[in-house]
Amino acid sequence: MENQHTKEYDLEDLKGIARNLRLDILDMTTIAGSGHPSSSFSAVEILTAIYFGGILNFNPDDPWRQGRDRFIMSKGHAAPLLYGVLAKAGYFDRQLLWNLRQIDSPVQGHPIQGMLPGVEATTGSLGQGLSLGLGHILGGRLNQLPYHVYVLLGDGECEAGQIWEAAMAAAHFKAHRLTAILDYNKFQETGPISREMALEPLASKWESFGWQVEEVDGHDIAALLNALESAKKTGERPAIIIAHTVKGKGVSFVEQDFTFHGRALNTEQAEKAREEILWR
Ligand SMILES: Cc1ncc(C[n+]2csc(CCOP(=O)(O)OP(=O)(O)O)c2C)c(N)n1
Ligand SMILES: [Mg+2]
């Protein structure tokens, strides 16, 4: 089978991968002295489930095979997480991770398509990834390639109107192989979502747009895997998994502190964070 990662890891392995990804994110951003550690920590379990839980059909030895499943990091500022995952999956040497945000490095602050194998889209300008994902679905339909497309959205990102255009279009085009995962950490850059521009009632909004909706604890890998499996069986509807998460998850003094958005930990904070990630 082309998917090298199907059933390779059990739940304990996956939790270990998640822990190591948090350490990588911490090191990448602290070395760079900038970046988005809290946005990356928030979605660690989501990407662990997708890439290493046997959900995504991919092969780093043949990264652009036409029939591959696609993962699009629509909240592109969580690039450190994506890079950590792609290195772990074998797309490139993990030494590259320590060049985050350096001039001319392929691991820029936001993902750039064409600079690294496994990066499916240039993102960072929020709001575009769901439309890109739908485009892949419609292209796959024309080419008779039944691949699945996964798109990770931020909750602040869902304040962008293009998300809702894509939501409407995906239902209209019966994009049942499209799965969005919403990293619902309740914060965006400048404060709580409920204050900046509230999204609730969120599940019923997506349902009314014609999507299959499931809500899960976004740090529970087993629950995420179940939800990702049911998202493969939606009849004709696209699916969204609303994953309730904690921004900064794993490091107590970063959790829910939106002033850490776009701020790296200094070396002293990073040492405390490392202890917590390892032992908490
Ligand atoms: C179109 C656009 N507007 C504004 C920004 C600046 N920006 C970067 S991250 C961010 C907040 C995103 O919040 P959310 O989607 O909730 O992500 P997370 O909480 O996971 O960091 C904003 C406003 C941007 N990158 N793109
Ligand atoms: Mg958020």
Side-chain angles (χ1 to χ4, degrees):
M1 188 57 197
E2 290 158 293
N3 186 351
Q4 298 190 327
H5 295 283
T6 305
K7 305 290 175 222
E8 201 178 323
Y9 300 109
D10 65 21
L11 195 53
E12 284 313 304
D13 294 334
L14 293 173
K15 288 180 188 169
I17 291 173
R19 186 178 308 115
N20 288 334
L21 286 170
R22 282 204 170 83
L23 293 174
D24 285 348
I25 291 161
L26 179 67
D27 288 340
M28 276 183 255
T29 50
T30 297
I31 291 170
S34 64
H36 296 79
S38 68
S39 308
S40 297
F41 289 159
S42 179
V44 161
E45 282 77 15
I46 297 171
L47 263 75
T48 299
I50 292 173
Y51 274 86
F52 305 113
I55 299 295
L56 194 77
N57 191 331
F58 68 97
N59 181 352
D61 295 329
D62 188 6
W64 305 121
R65 182 179 52 86
Q66 273 203 316
R68 72 193 183 281
D69 287 346
R70 276 80 164 152
F71 172 79
I72 294 174
M73 178 64 101
S74 190
K75 42 168 269 183
H77 56 289
L81 169 59
L82 179 63
Y83 299 147
V85 165
L86 294 177
K88 166 71 185 162
Y91 281 94
F92 50 80
D93 189 328
R94 60 184 267 106
Q95 290 309 317
L96 260 189
L97 299 179
W98 322 130
N99 297 343
L100 181 73
R101 291 181 160 242
Q102 286 178 17
I103 292 190
D104 292 336
S105 128
V107 288
Q108 284 301 305
H110 297 76
I112 301 178
Q113 188 184 21
M115 282 191 99
L116 274 179
V119 173
E120 295 281 357
T122 299
T123 51
S125 183
L126 294 168
Q128 301 178 1
L130 198 57
S131 306
L132 290 168
L134 176 59
H136 274 286
I137 293 287
L138 298 179
R141 198 173 279 173
L142 284 174
N143 290 322
Q144 297 180 326
L145 292 169
Y147 52 74
H148 209 104
V149 180
Y150 296 87
V151 179
L152 183 71
L153 301 173
D155 47 4
E157 184 179 20
C158 288
E159 293 169 339
Q162 188 175 343
I163 295 290
W164 300 99
E165 271 182 75
M168 198 158 42
H172 174 81
F173 289 110
K174 300 184 176 26
H176 61 93
R177 291 195 178 90
L178 180 63
T179 300
I181 307 94
L182 177 49
D183 182 353
Y184 196 9
N185 59 30
K186 322 295 184 295
F187 287 92
Q188 47 115 303
E189 184 176 16
T190 46
I193 302 288
S194 57
R195 187 187 72 196
E196 299 299 310
M197 188 156 73
L199 291 171
E200 291 291 347
L202 190 54
S204 57
K205 269 197 189 81
W206 285 97
E207 269 159 10
S208 72
F209 272 72
W211 286 56
Q212 174 172 300
V213 181
E214 189 163 337
E215 294 191 68
V216 294
D217 173 345
H219 300 300
D220 180 338
I221 294 174
L224 284 163
L225 287 172
N226 283 334
L228 288 160
E229 285 299 340
S230 16
K232 291 184 179 178
K233 300 167 222 126
T234 62
E236 294 189 320
R237 289 183 297 169
I240 182 159
I241 298 169
I242 298 178
H244 293 272
T245 53
V246 175
K247 190 153 174 163
K249 176 74 178 176
V251 179
S252 60
F253 56 91
V254 178
E255 288 183 1
Q256 316 229 47
D257 179 352
F258 68 83
T259 71
F260 265 105
H261 181 95
R263 177 151 69 96
L265 282 70
N266 63 33
T267 44
E268 195 186 319
Q269 291 166 330
E271 271 322 300
K272 284 191 199 136
R274 179 182 315 284
E275 291 301 305
E276 287 199 19
I277 292 167
L278 283 171
W279 306 116
R280 198 168 143 206

